Amino acid sequence: MPSQTEPAEAEPEPEPKPHPSPGRPDRRPQSSAGRPPLVRELLLVAGLFLVYKFGRQLASGHTDEAFDNAHRIWSLERALHLPGEGAVQQPLLNSEALVHLANTYYASVHFPATALFLAWLYARRPRHYVWSRRVLATVTAAALVLHLTFPLAPPRMLDTAHLVDTAQVYGPSVYSATPGTDTMANQFAAMPSLHVGWALMIAVGLIAATRSRWRWLWLLHPLLTLLVVVGTANHYWLDAIAATVLLGVALAVVRMPHAGDLLRPRRSLVVAHGGAAPAGAGSVARARAGR
């Protein structure tokens, strides 16, 4: 019969779970306890959006500089032998229904798709949500700097491009017909294309956060967005390339937080009779097991 003074047998301390390797996403179920407070996140995202909108307005009014930069971008694309934006627009103009659909996609998908993406990650993948929100904020901040320092008229305003302003001709349009007096948006902020940058981040984020073999089809979203922004003459190819480069830099800089960064795990030893384990109980149990 064991002595009454012997310490209680303690269960061995569980082995810590290793963090996933940096190159492979961790798709294990994520604890809801690591989810950031909803009200704080709503205020943060809304604040970032308002800062960006007001910041874009600061870049308005540089009409001459915006058109000078537009001619430079157009010449650079021809020097790089990039295909003309008209090669994408011409098939759209062959169908009024198709061009109207492209304008609707440009006007109505950008913000709702990004909001739904963040909402789904917040509810189902908290760590992926924090990571994606940080990446989007980094890309948007960098884009704002470019908008302020490099005003750029879109190709629909450039006579040299011989492109149709599809939104004004076929509708619907989110821009005023007179860019200089547009109080709702800065039309001289074409570089980079956040339509493309955000769409690409949606695809990257969902591919990283889900397991389905079909998840790579999310890449169709940024591809379709690219064709829409170029076909409607709202952006140059180089606008999309610049957004892709900015996203690549942001993904390299912003790392996905580990579970322990969002939630401090509580670990304790549980003894056979439900009491607290005395100091050194784990060591005693291992020593007895080795006899």
Side-chain angles (χ1 to χ4, degrees):
M1 180 178 297
S3 170
Q4 297 296 324
T5 60
E6 290 183 1
E9 294 278 350
E11 294 182 1
E13 186 176 353
E15 293 290 334
K17 294 182 180 181
H19 289 303
S21 59
R24 301 180 63 183
D26 179 19
R27 301 192 185 96
R28 294 175 297 180
Q30 297 177 17
S31 170
S32 61
R35 187 175 295 116
L38 177 59
V39 174
R40 188 195 73 180
E41 289 303 308
L42 290 176
L43 292 175
L44 178 60
V45 172
L48 290 173
F49 174 74
L50 290 176
V51 168
Y52 172 71
K53 291 294 288 184
F54 285 128
R56 279 174 59 107
Q57 291 300 318
L58 295 177
S60 61
H62 302 277
T63 304
D64 293 339
E65 185 179 359
F67 277 97
D68 289 342
N69 289 333
H71 284 286
R72 295 188 184 97
I73 290 295
W74 183 260
S75 299
L76 179 58
E77 285 190 344
R78 308 291 77 80
L80 295 174
H81 301 289
L82 292 177
E85 284 76 3
V88 179
Q89 185 178 88
Q90 193 57 47
L92 292 179
L93 298 179
N94 292 332
S95 169
E96 185 172 344
L98 190 59
V99 71
H100 183 82
L101 182 62
N103 290 333
T104 303
Y105 189 96
Y106 179 86
S108 60
V109 172
H110 179 48
F111 286 109
T114 307
L116 287 173
F117 164 68
L118 291 174
W120 185 86
L121 288 182
Y122 180 86
R124 302 295 298 273
R125 300 289 190 275
R127 289 194 296 114
H128 286 83
Y129 163 77
V130 173
W131 170 64
S132 298
R133 188 248 292 151
R134 290 173 179 172
V135 172
L136 284 172
T138 301
V139 170
T140 305
L144 180 57
V145 172
L146 268 177
H147 294 161
L148 292 171
T149 58
F150 192 77
L152 178 65
R156 56 188 166 82
M157 298 182 187
L158 192 62
D159 292 338
T160 307
H162 302 293
L163 296 171
V164 176
D165 187 343
T166 59
Q168 293 296 331
V169 175
Y170 299 95
S173 176
V174 295
Y175 301 122
S176 169
T178 53
T181 60
D182 194 342
T183 59
M184 298 299 295
N186 175 19
Q187 298 191 42
F188 297 140
M191 172 78 75
S193 170
L194 282 181
H195 275 72
V196 173
W198 287 11
L200 188 55
M201 183 57 209
I202 291 174
V204 170
L206 290 175
I207 289 171
T210 56
R211 301 178 181 179
S212 170
R213 72 171 72 179
W214 303 103
R215 66 187 185 276
W216 296 99
L217 291 177
W218 285 111
L219 290 172
L220 292 176
H221 175 48
L223 176 60
L224 180 58
T225 300
L226 172 62
L227 295 177
V228 165
V229 300
V230 173
T232 57
N234 282 292
H235 287 284
Y236 305 89
W237 294 112
L238 286 177
D239 297 338
I241 293 173
T244 303
V245 171
L246 288 180
L247 178 62
V249 173
L251 289 172
V253 172
V254 180
R255 301 298 180 90
M256 187 183 302
H258 293 301
D261 297 331
L262 299 178
L263 174 66
R264 292 182 179 179
R266 298 178 180 178
R267 298 192 304 171
S268 61
L269 294 176
V270 181
V271 296
H273 298 289
S283 300
V284 172
R286 286 191 291 269
R288 288 170 58 86
R291 290 181 182 175

